[in-house]
Structure formats: structure tokens, C-alpha cells
Amino acid sequence: MDLKRPTLIAATLSTCGLLASTSQADVDKAIEYRQDALGVMAWQIGPLGDMAQGKIDYDAEEFRRRAENLAAVAHLPWEGFIEGSLQGDGHGVDTDALAEIADDREDFESRQQTLVEETAALAELAQEDDFAAMRRQVATVGETCKGCHDNYRAE
Amino acid sequence: MDLKRPTLIAATLSTCGLLASTSQADVDKAIEYRQDALGVMAWQIGPLGDMAQGKIDYDAEEFRRRAENLAAVAHLPWEGFIEGSLQGDGHGVDTDALAEIADDREDFESRQQTLVEETAALAELAQEDDFAAMRRQVATVGETCKGCHDNYRAE
């Protein structure tokens, strides 16, 4: 299936009754869900970044808790990027998710997997007491976020 | 501290420079965070409820995945219920969180703990194959949600 034209395909198949189970409301809910999940990620990573950059004091207990929370949710948002839910797809919710996601699903999914792995590595580092290593890993996680945003999120 | 009047207290202390670290923007962000986290919970529990009620077919893999996700996020929303973030507190974001939460923080926190425990029990049951037990536990989780909503969420 040509993922570059999900809306047209969905519309065509829907006319045939083949995609009756994915409604406009389903697409809107999926967008809202992924925005919620990304919001939860942003909330967790915020203090980690602030501690890594020295904007707030390092607190081992909070660092560990945030790192664990981040690792626990890093796999969640992605199921919300369903067909017909990108910019220009004609749904009912504003989204920054660019149509380019559909051009290279493989790259998009590979980046998700990298984020899951890098946040897991951060949660593991947070169990020990090498703050320099934790700071480096926060930077790595941040670069993973940024790499995806640069390619697939509207500015 | 009298938790029934957090806004007034915050305003007073803020004038004294004692609460400078919690701004209006911080309160708004905390409300948005908890709404995001509760949205993620709702997304995960939806298909579990539908399977338990026979609205959609039981799918062991999806049931297990949703139950694990739900258990992983059940502890997250609650840190967003900070002082000054309830209905009537004069912040900048709409919320259904009733002022009654401040009247009995102990009960509110006890209900959070119950939810964490009941969702963990559900995730554990989902590793086995007793669907009747899973259905009962979905109902228990649902009642836990409802108990809190009945007491502390605007209709």
C-alpha cells in the first residue's frame, strides 16, 4: 500500500466499506492520544534536561524517578500516528505531524525504537551514581527527540 | 496549612517571596500534564473495557499490552494536582478537578494508591489465561476510576 496517499486510499476503501472501522472520530482521537502521550514525555524529560544543564540542582531521587517514568512511556505515543492523521490529511484536529512521516515509515519507526532504547539506557544509568554519564545520556535522549522533530514535526 | 484556600495562601506567600518558584504558568502546566496523563490512561483502558464487556473480540496480545501500559502509567497523573490547580483556584486552564480534592487529600491519595495496585493486579492477571478473572479485574479498575470521578470530578 502506498503510504504517501493514506487519505485518498482511506476514502476510496471507505466507500467500498472496507475501512468502516476507522472513522474520522477515530483519527481525531488517535491524534489527541499521541499529543497526550508526547506531553507526558515532555513533562518527564523537562527536569532531567534542567538537571543535566545545571538549571536546577541535581536530585538523585527525582532524576531516577523521571528517568524511569520516561522509559516507561517512550513506546506509547507512536500507535497514535495512524493513517490519515498527518498534516494535510483532512482530519478535525490540529497537528504538527508532517506528511513526511508517511514518506518514510521505516525511518520513523526506527527512530521510535532508538528512543525506547536510549531512554531505557538512561533509566539504567540513573540507578547508579555517575552523574557525568547520566548527563551525557540525557543529551543523547534529547538529540533523539530533536532528530525526529527536525524531520517530522512542523516548526 | 489549610489546603482549602491554596490560592489565597499562595498569593499571600508569593507576595512575601516565599513561593516564587510556583508561578501561574507552573500551575497551568501541571493541569495540562495531568490531563495528558489521564488521557493516556483513558486510551489504554478503553479497549480493555470494550473486551471485558464483549463490545470487541478478546485479543490476548492486545489485552496484555494495554494492561501493562495502564499499570505503567497509573501512578503518573497525580503529581499534577498541585496546590492552586483545582476548580475555583483562579488559574488559566479549564479543569474538572473539584475543590473537594483539597478537603480530603488523604482520601484522594489513598484512591490513587488503590488504582496503582488494581492496575498492577490486572497486568499480572493478563499474563495468564483466565479471561473471567481479567474481566472481573477490569470491572474493579473501572470502579476505582469511577469512585474518584464521582467524588472529585465535575459532571
Side-chain angles (χ1 to χ4, degrees), chain B residues 100-117:
Chain B
E100 277 75 3
I101 289 171
D103 295 341
D104 199 345
R105 280 268 170 191
E106 204 172 323
D107 177 63
F108 187 58
E109 286 168 13
S110 158
R111 290 171 183 276
Q112 297 164 18
Q113 188 53 36
T114 301
L115 185 75
V116 168
E117 290 164 9

Side-chain angles (χ1 to χ4, degrees), chain A residues 97-108:
Chain A
L98 295 174
E100 277 74 4
I101 289 170
D103 295 342
D104 199 346
R105 280 269 171 192
E106 204 173 320
D107 177 64
F108 187 58

Side-chain angles (χ1 to χ4, degrees), chain B residues 123-134:
Chain B
E124 201 152 323
L125 279 171
Q127 308 305 318
E128 296 167 27
D129 60 358
D130 183 350
F131 184 50
M134 292 182 225

